[in-house]
Amino acid sequence: FWGTLPLFFLVPLFKVIKASFGMANYLALSFSITASVLFLGDRLRLSLGQKWHPLVVGMAQGIALFPGISRCGLTISSARILG
């Protein structure tokens, strides 16, 4: 349940997400976000409480709804950042 909770906050953005599939210039930003998170996943470690892990990983999966952002990359990198 806690891992899917962040998706409810993205429901108002579904029209924006759907419209972004047709914008080619948006992909450069999306690829940059993915690359940044992958880089931080390799370099950064945070010590949050265990109760925050499902929410953070759920937010990463929610952000990955945008085209050009790797769902697997964000999920694994956010889990690595959390430790």
Side-chain angles (χ1 to χ4, degrees):
F1 170 74
W2 296 110
T4 58
L5 188 62
L7 290 176
F8 291 113
F9 297 108
L10 292 172
V11 170
L13 295 176
F14 279 152
K15 288 185 180 182
V16 174
I17 293 170
K18 190 174 182 180
S20 67
F21 277 94
M23 295 187 286
N25 58 352
Y26 176 78
L27 289 177
L29 176 65
S30 298
F31 291 149
S32 299
I33 291 171
T34 299
S36 300
V37 173
L38 290 173
F39 178 78
L40 290 175
D42 191 37
R43 304 274 194 257
L44 183 66
R45 297 291 178 263
L46 296 177
S47 59
L48 297 176
Q50 290 284 341
K51 64 181 178 181
W52 293 104
H53 289 202
L55 287 174
V56 173
V57 172
M59 284 191 312
Q61 289 186 352
I63 292 169
L65 290 174
F66 289 95
I69 296 181
S70 170
R71 180 178 176 204
C72 181
L74 257 63
T75 303
I76 293 172
S77 293
S78 65
R80 287 191 66 191
I81 289 170
L82 294 173

